[in-house]
């Protein structure tokens, strides 16, 4: 990569020759025509591949480089219109340098791993471009984020937008009202705005939509356009984040009857024949929170003339009550229960959590079979009182993936705040999620 850039900057050193003879000029012209066409085709192919690979930043950089190849083609056609045999030496050398840059990049730029991180505009500015060649220098507003009201603002910078020119702007096949076009300033800036009603019907929920942009520049007193700029504008998804939030919480599961408990009560002799004496029996599980009785397995007494009756379960089957009876006048009797016991155990369970809108620009979340899609804004998720932890997994429309959890609460335009609950049995009360568009502007 360093070699390519070094070669590129070496090629940029001005070394224009003196006026060439007719034969040389004809050769330069033939070579320049082929170079511009080949270079334009290579960049276009790279743009197509970046588009298919949904590499939007690379696509944007390539389209910036594409501006210069289109401008060179326009200038080439202009000079050929004046003289069909040759073009200026300056234009020929510029086309050669651009062609050599692209040829040094494998596959027409797409294979350069870090090209998307380069400042394409800075590279372009190093080319020895005459003031009448680079007709469009930059496009601001390439990636459009959805609005509910107002307008979408765009800005084109280049010497095509000289003071006094007339402009026609067509976006998404709709011609803008001339009152929404502000161009021809001394700084060579063309500004125009499209009402939200012009574009909002074109946005998609979870994917990029490309719409055509066409700007026609007509010189004063002329009927036909002097220059036509054609490109695509990206409409970013209205719901750019596909998100899954899961909480891990403590749950309790009742096991099968896995234990038993023996309870007993002794009642003394009645003191006289035919007389009954009795005593109340009470028995509780060992763990009132995590155990309960299921049934009476058996009830026995230690001798004749005795019994157990009025057995009842209470307290969600955590307590058993009854009465032990004895009719023996000179001997005690012991009543015994065998009771089935069921226990419950704690497990960690991971469950999906839904979002409620706190503040958003008029767009509600929607959910498919796998995830929830969210627009930019603020959301609230209610966590259960038994929440132990949570994991948020987000995937942006451009392929960027983010995972957040209690130890990492922000990354790439996503920020989580956990509102703690003061209750003793709860770690969290609610989770606030903010999604900002600042990190993914295109």
């Amino acid at each position: 990569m360093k070699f390519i850039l070094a070669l590129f900057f070496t090629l940029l050193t001005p070394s224009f020759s003196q006026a060439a003879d007719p034969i040389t000029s004809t050769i330069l012209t033939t070579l320049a025509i082929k170079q511009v066409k080949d270079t334009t085709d290579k960049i276009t192919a790279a743009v197509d591949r970046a588009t298919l690979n949904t590499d939007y930043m690379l696509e944007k950089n390539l389209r910036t480089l594409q501006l210069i190849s289109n401008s060179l083609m326009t200038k080439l056609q202009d000079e050929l219109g004046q003289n069909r045999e040759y073009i200026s030496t300056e234009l020929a050398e510029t086309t050669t340098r651009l062609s050599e840059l692209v040829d040094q990049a494998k596959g027409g730029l797409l294979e350069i791993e870090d090209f998307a991180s380069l400042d394409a505009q800075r590279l372009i500015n190093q080319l020895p471009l005459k003031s009448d060649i680079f007709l469009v220098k930059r496009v601001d507003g390439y990636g459009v984020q959805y609005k509910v009201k107002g307008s979408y603002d765009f800005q084109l910078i280049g010497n095509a937008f000289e003071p006094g020119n007339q402009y026609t702007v067509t976006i998404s096949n709709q011609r803008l009202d001339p009152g929404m076009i502000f161009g021809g300033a001394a700084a060579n800036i063309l500004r125009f705005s499209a009402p939200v009603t012009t574009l909002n019907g074109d946005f998609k929920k979870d994917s990029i939509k490309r719409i055509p942009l066409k700007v026609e520049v007509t010189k004063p007193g002329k009927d036909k356009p002097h220059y036509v700029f054609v490109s695509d504008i990206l409409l970013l998804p209205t719901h750019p984040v596909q998100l899954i939030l899961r909480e891990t919480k403590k749950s309790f599961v009742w096991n099968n009857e896995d234990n038993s408990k023996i309870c007993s009560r002794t009642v003394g002799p009645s003191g006289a024949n035919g007389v009954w004496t009795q005593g109340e029996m009470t028995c509780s599980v060992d763990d009132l929170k995590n155990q309960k009785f299921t049934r009476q397995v058996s009830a026995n007494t230690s001798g004749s003339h005795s019994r157990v009756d009025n057995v009842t379960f209470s307290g969600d089957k955590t307590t058993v009550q009854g009465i032990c009876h004895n009719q023996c006048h000179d001997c005690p009797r012991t009543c015994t229960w065998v009771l089935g016991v069921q226990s419950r155990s704690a497990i960690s369970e991971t469950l999906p959590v839904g979002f409620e809108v706190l503040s958003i620009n008029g767009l509600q979340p929607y959910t498919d079979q796998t995830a929830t899609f969210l627009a930019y804004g603020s959301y609230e998720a209610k966590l259960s009182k038994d929440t132990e932890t949570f994991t948020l997994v987000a995937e942006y429309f451009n392929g960027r993936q983010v995972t957040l959890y209690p130890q990492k609460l922000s990354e790439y335009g996503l920020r989580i705040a956990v509102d703690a609950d003061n209750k003793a049995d709860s770690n969290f009360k609610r989770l606030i999620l903010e999604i900002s568009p600042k990190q993914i502007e295109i």
Side-chain angles (χ1 to χ4, degrees), residues 407-426:
Q407 292 75 30
K408 186 177 76 170
L409 297 177
S410 64
E411 183 181 339
Y412 194 67
L414 290 178
R415 188 172 77 88
I416 287 176
V418 179
D419 188 4
D421 192 351
N422 294 325
K423 296 179 181 179
D425 61 351
S426 175

Side-chain angles (χ1 to χ4, degrees), residues 304-321:
S304 62
H305 298 89
S306 61
R307 73 176 189 276
V308 182
D309 60 13
N310 296 332
V311 176
T312 57
F313 292 90
S314 62
D316 293 330
K317 289 191 173 183
T318 58
T319 302
V320 175
Q321 296 165 332

